[in-house]
Amino acid sequence: MGSVDSLPYWHVNVPEHERTEECPEFLASLSVKDIGQISTPDSEYSISTWPEVQNIVAENRLDAFRRIPSNLRRYLEYTWKLKRDYGSIMNFVLTQRLHWEAPVKPRGRPFEFDDDVKILWNDWPYGIDERIVHLVVWTKFDLEEDPVTTDLTDEARTEIDNYVQKTFGSRIPRDRYIWFKNWRSLKSVHAVEHFHVMLFDPDPQFVDEITNRDVPLCHKV
């Protein structure tokens, strides 16, 4: 058996008896970044700590978030199958995760009605400390962006801050939760608005309560 350096990237982190001569279709058209990560043995991957996660968000270096290489492979295979079976990731999220009808229309102003918002686990979280709970807050309403910078407007940022403080801050110390909204180029689902919330070592009962006992897909497949 050769060294990792001599292996095709689609063989890394795969048991020898499961390796295929040809590159699987779901790994055939990857970016240079993804190939570099898929080529990394899990044993060489460094899990991000809570202070590191806080710094990434504070410095808006969201592209620094990575999945554990073998989990990235599973994620790419799963999303490839979703596109094949449902036409798009958006269709799957709408029909199987959110159970919202398209076109998605809010009942009121941002965060005015609870049924315009749904909190679920991130189905394929990043390679972070296992005590960090990664949630996604899905909204039927748009979160307004500056057309020039594509960053959130001050008004939208204040609306999210107030919602996060009300929903999470009442149960979790301020230094144990953060939120961020992915850059447009980093989003895997573009057509349904959402932002991310990370909680450090929260009460599992609280997480069950706000997610309605949701279970991430990575624990099901």
Side-chain angles (χ1 to χ4, degrees):
M1 182 170 156
S3 68
V4 169
D5 290 341
S6 67
L7 290 176
Y9 68 86
W10 62 89
H11 284 182
V12 180
N13 298 312
V14 177
E16 193 166 359
H17 68 279
E18 295 181 12
R19 293 172 182 170
T20 57
E21 184 175 346
E22 298 295 327
C23 179
E25 188 173 349
F26 66 90
L27 296 178
S29 301
L30 299 185
S31 67
V32 172
K33 172 184 172 182
D34 282 344
I35 289 177
Q37 192 170 351
I38 289 286
S39 304
T40 302
D42 282 356
S43 60
E44 295 180 8
Y45 181 84
S46 179
I47 297 294
S48 296
T49 65
W50 179 241
E52 289 171 340
V53 166
Q54 289 176 302
N55 286 337
I56 288 172
V57 173
E59 296 171 3
N60 199 28
R61 296 185 293 109
L62 304 181
D63 58 334
F65 281 126
R66 301 279 195 277
R67 291 181 174 89
I68 295 172
S70 59
N71 283 347
L72 175 61
R73 181 190 176 98
R74 292 175 62 215
Y75 166 78
L76 293 171
E77 181 175 14
Y78 191 76
T79 54
W80 178 83
K81 290 178 179 177
L82 290 186
K83 293 173 186 176
R84 179 194 63 191
D85 297 342
Y86 291 89
S88 69
I89 297 176
M90 183 200 74
N91 287 340
F92 172 80
V93 170
L94 277 178
T95 61
Q96 305 301 311
R97 296 294 278 127
L98 296 172
H99 303 288
W100 289 348
E101 293 185 2
V104 176
K105 294 183 179 179
R107 190 153 69 96
R109 299 186 306 275
F111 302 108
E112 182 179 5
F113 296 105
D114 290 344
D115 55 356
D116 281 344
V117 180
K118 184 168 285 190
I119 304 172
L120 299 174
W121 279 82
N122 184 340
D123 285 322
W124 298 94
Y126 303 124
I128 54 182
D129 187 320
E130 291 183 353
R131 292 172 294 177
I132 301 172
V133 170
H134 186 171
L135 304 176
V136 181
V137 181
W138 301 89
T139 68
K140 292 183 179 180
F141 46 82
D142 290 334
L143 300 168
E144 188 177 2
E145 296 179 347
D146 184 302
V148 177
T149 66
T150 72
D151 198 3
L152 289 167
T153 63
D154 290 342
E155 181 179 2
R157 193 171 293 279
T158 298
E159 290 170 343
I160 297 173
D161 269 333
N162 291 341
Y163 173 80
V164 170
Q165 172 61 34
K166 174 184 174 183
T167 306
F168 302 97
S170 59
R171 305 280 291 273
I172 299 174
R174 183 63 191 91
D175 62 347
R176 293 197 168 203
Y177 67 88
I178 53 175
W179 70 265
F180 63 91
K181 185 172 182 288
N182 262 338
W183 311 335
R184 192 170 301 175
S185 62
L186 296 177
K187 287 183 179 179
S188 57
V189 182
H190 290 269
V192 187
E193 190 66 276
H194 59 283
F195 62 94
H196 299 252
V197 175
M198 290 183 175
L199 316 174
F200 182 70
D201 201 21
D203 181 347
Q205 289 187 337
F206 171 60
V207 177
D208 280 346
E209 175 188 325
I210 59 174
T211 64
N212 195 27
R213 297 188 177 277
D214 185 47
V215 177
L217 289 176
C218 63
H219 291 170
K220 297 179 180 180
V221 298

